[in-house]
Amino acid sequence: MSLTKAENLISSRKEDYLNQLFRLLRQKSISAQNIGVRECAGLLKEMMDQIGINTRIMETAGHPVVYGEIINDPNAFTLLIYGHYDVQPPEPIDEWLSPPFEPTIRGGKIYCRGVGDNKGQLIAQILAIKTYLDAFGEIPINIKLVFEGEEESASANLAEFVEENKDLLVCDLVYTSDGPMHDSGSPFVLLGVRGMLYVELVAKGAEWDNHSGNKGNIVPNPAWKLIDLLRTMRDENGRVLIEGFYDDIRQPTEKELQIIKELPFNQDDIAEKIGYSKLDMDGEMYYRKLTLEPTFNIAGFTSGYGGEGSKTIIPSKAVLKMDMRLVVDQDPDDIYEKFCKHVKKFAPDIEVKRLGDMKPSRTSADQEIVRVVTNAVRNSFQKEPVLQPSLGGSLPDYVWTKILNTPSVVVPYANFDEANHSPNENMGVKNFYDGIKCTCYVINEISKFYSKSKIQQVTR
């Protein structure tokens, strides 16, 4: 089926579709601070209902899931679209060039918290369904949609939700649009994600802050306790020294290594886009480190006085936050246990808190449905997609591949420099419309694949 009619509809409805995006963006939904999340779920349900998607709000132990479906034939191919409607806190506010929850267009980009991560990409999926329905009268496959409100809080209740609703969520493929496109501007087809473990370390000294002169050399500084501990955890080359940290990592296949070698890479361009001019590595090393190796990152270190001028104190408390990106088949539970064992050995008086985790996931590049989605993305963007074994970041992709035992593909629609999680988060206006178009192509290509498979089964 030609998608010219759908493409023409997108072109004629640009202003209307942009207004619908802006309406969703203005509704705050900061899961970490419990600001506006339930109100956003209600707004999302209303928007989906208006399109003709059978939608309901489903409760979890935390923020609700917005679930929708269009089921035409229970035996037909079923595509499950995943996204999240919650966003990161906007701080630091003073670094935004325009109000963080007032969508503003500058230089062909929409600036607003959540526009790239993930509301702009989420609503592109919804508007693609509307476009397809209005162009052709029906959706040729079954579609289910799962939009959660806790992805920015490590998807704390999504696994339980999927486990409890396996029958409802059964599908043939999970399709996610989250994260940025390739730095070259080419579309991505991603076959997995790294997992994550997020921890907090708390070191204490005296009961209160003390004068650094009058009590110096007398009262211990808890910041040094954390620094000394960190020195036991990582060597000068960046290798993690926690016993067993690397034990369960699955070795990449020959095909995955070949994919890594063939990925496009421009060192100078990437260095400029990430703001780090000293980047010095070739493409193979870059992608190995980004997709196939774990990380050990200090996300925040707070202690003592950080305001203007000086204040000579010995702080009574120091707090360190760390995130570890994990690769297949590392398990967050196992890594946390090993991490705590290491802390107990070298600094038993430091408290460890587990703030969140997510398991890694990967879908085989050999699956036929991967080829189908790749073709759809290629035809939509009129560019060769970049096929990559894993995303550098983390999404709760494992709930689909491990709990539902369903293949999962991630195709981001946001621009590479979307600045998600940072001030001035943005999404290109063209990226938004291209995302709507791409979802239409994915639906269409899957429909052709399903029809062809059905004919082959009948003729056998």
Side-chain angles (χ1 to χ4, degrees):
M1 180 188 296
S2 170
L3 290 179
T4 302
K5 190 173 182 180
E7 293 184 47
N8 289 339
L9 276 180
I10 295 169
S11 296
S12 66
R13 294 175 173 178
K14 283 186 175 181
E15 185 176 352
D16 175 53
Y17 284 177
L18 203 60
N19 287 335
Q20 292 194 53
L21 168 61
F22 283 14
R23 185 184 178 204
L24 188 64
L25 289 172
R26 290 189 178 103
Q27 174 58 60
K28 296 180 182 180
S29 52
I30 309 169
S31 59
Q33 300 170 349
N34 194 20
I35 296 175
V37 181
R38 186 165 291 276
E39 292 83 354
C40 190
L43 174 59
L44 190 56
K45 178 184 185 303
E46 176 191 326
M47 297 173 82
M48 292 165 66
D49 281 337
Q50 288 174 352
I51 291 170
I53 301 170
N54 182 17
T55 309
R56 53 181 151 147
I57 293 177
M58 301 182 69
E59 298 299 332
T60 73
H63 298 305
V65 166
V66 180
Y67 173 79
E69 63 180 23
I70 296 177
I71 307 295
N72 293 319
D73 176 359
N75 297 316
F77 188 102
T78 300
L79 176 69
L80 189 152
I81 294 173
Y82 164 78
H84 65 93
Y85 64 89
D86 66 320
V87 304
Q88 282 277 321
E91 286 80 8
I93 301 292
D94 58 358
E95 293 187 18
W96 285 81
L97 299 179
S98 52
F101 288 101
E102 180 53 46
T104 305
I105 296 179
R106 296 192 302 272
K109 291 182 178 180
I110 308 158
Y111 288 84
C112 193
R113 172 56 86 224
V115 65
D117 188 16
N118 179 246
K119 289 179 177 177
Q121 306 199 56
L122 175 156
I123 203 164
Q125 313 279 24
I126 295 172
L127 293 175
I129 294 171
K130 175 176 176 56
T131 301
Y132 208 105
L133 279 170
D134 290 350
F136 306 112
E138 65 176 6
I139 301 291
I141 59 175
N142 298 324
I143 293 186
K144 299 178 180 180
L145 305 102
V146 174
F147 298 136
E148 70 158 319
E150 297 182 312
E151 195 274 343
E152 300 295 5
S153 299
S155 297
N157 295 288
L158 184 63
E160 183 179 3
F161 173 82
V162 173
E163 193 74 56
E164 291 176 351
N165 293 281
K166 279 184 178 180
D167 292 341
L168 175 69
L169 302 176
V170 65
C171 59
D172 298 291
L173 174 70
V174 176
Y175 183 81
T176 301
S177 294
D178 200 349
M181 297 173 68
H182 189 262
D183 65 276
S184 66
S186 295
F188 258 138
V189 176
L190 301 162
L191 304 182
V193 297
R194 289 195 288 196
M196 182 180 68
L197 172 65
Y198 202 108
V199 298
E200 179 180 274
L201 299 173
V202 180
K204 296 179 180 178
E207 291 297 321
W208 50 77
D209 294 351
N210 277 273
H211 190 288
S212 64
N214 295 340
K215 300 299 183 295
N217 294 334
I218 306 301
V219 175
N221 188 319
W224 285 114
K225 289 184 182 181
L226 289 176
I227 292 169
D228 291 341
L229 174 62
L230 287 171
R231 288 181 179 134
T232 70
M233 291 182 160
R234 183 178 180 270
D235 68 17
E236 64 275 11
N237 297 315
R239 184 167 180 82
V240 179
L241 301 176
I242 295 171
E243 186 176 352
F245 185 82
Y246 297 100
D247 283 357
D248 300 315
I249 294 176
R250 185 192 304 176
Q251 293 304 306
T253 65
E254 287 299 320
K255 183 165 186 176
E256 287 168 343
L257 291 176
Q258 189 60 38
I259 289 172
I260 288 292
K261 290 178 181 178
E262 295 174 356
L263 288 172
F265 178 76
N266 184 316
Q267 179 179 297
D268 293 339
D269 185 52
I270 291 175
E272 180 181 350
K273 286 177 177 174
I274 64 176
Y276 181 61
S277 61
K278 296 180 181 179
L279 181 69
D280 184 22
M281 59 182 69
D282 61 21
E284 184 175 355
M285 180 184 293
Y286 174 84
Y287 287 110
R288 280 196 70 121
K289 287 183 173 296
L290 187 64
T291 66
L292 301 177
E293 295 181 8
T295 70
F296 196 71
N297 177 57
I298 298 172
F301 198 143
T302 308
S303 186
Y305 179 70
E308 293 292 328
S310 61
K311 183 181 181 183
T312 53
I313 60 164
I314 303 169
S316 62
K317 182 179 177 182
V319 178
L320 178 79
K321 294 182 185 289
M322 298 191 71
D323 66 79
M324 290 158 263
R325 302 288 171 161
L326 309 178
V327 296
V328 179
D329 291 301
Q330 287 181 301
D331 183 87
D333 293 337
D334 176 63
I335 297 299
Y336 180 70
E337 183 179 330
K338 290 170 178 174
F339 185 91
C340 290
K341 185 177 179 181
H342 185 97
V343 174
K344 186 175 182 180
K345 177 179 178 181
F346 289 96
D349 59 335
I350 290 180
E351 180 185 5
V352 182
K353 298 180 180 179
R354 185 173 183 169
L355 300 186
D357 61 77
M358 200 171 287
K359 294 178 181 178
S361 173
R362 194 173 301 161
T363 290
S364 171
D366 294 321
Q367 296 214 30
E368 179 68 12
I369 194 63
V370 172
R371 182 193 63 78
V372 173
V373 172
T374 303
N375 285 341
V377 174
R378 180 187 298 112
N379 293 335
S380 176
F381 285 92
Q382 292 296 296
K383 282 185 178 181
E384 188 62 34
V386 176
L387 182 66
Q388 190 169 293
S390 177
L391 179 69
S394 301
L395 290 168
D397 196 56
Y398 77 96
V399 303
W400 318 121
T401 59
K402 292 181 182 284
I403 299 177
L404 280 189
N405 295 314
T406 303
S408 175
V409 175
V410 180
V411 179
Y413 295 156
N415 36 292
F416 179 78
D417 56 348
E418 65 171 322
N420 51 334
H421 293 207
S422 299
N424 302 305
E425 178 179 349
N426 64 86
M427 184 176 185
V429 175
K430 186 176 186 300
N431 289 79
F432 172 59
Y433 297 132
D434 284 348
I436 301 172
K437 175 183 169 185
C438 184
T439 304
C440 289
Y441 269 80
V442 169
I443 293 170
N444 205 54
E445 195 72 25
I446 288 175
S447 172
K448 290 192 293 184
F449 165 72
Y450 167 72
S451 298
K452 183 179 178 182
S453 299
K454 198 172 181 182
I455 292 171
Q456 289 175 341
Q457 289 173 2
V458 171
T459 56
R460 278 175 189 160

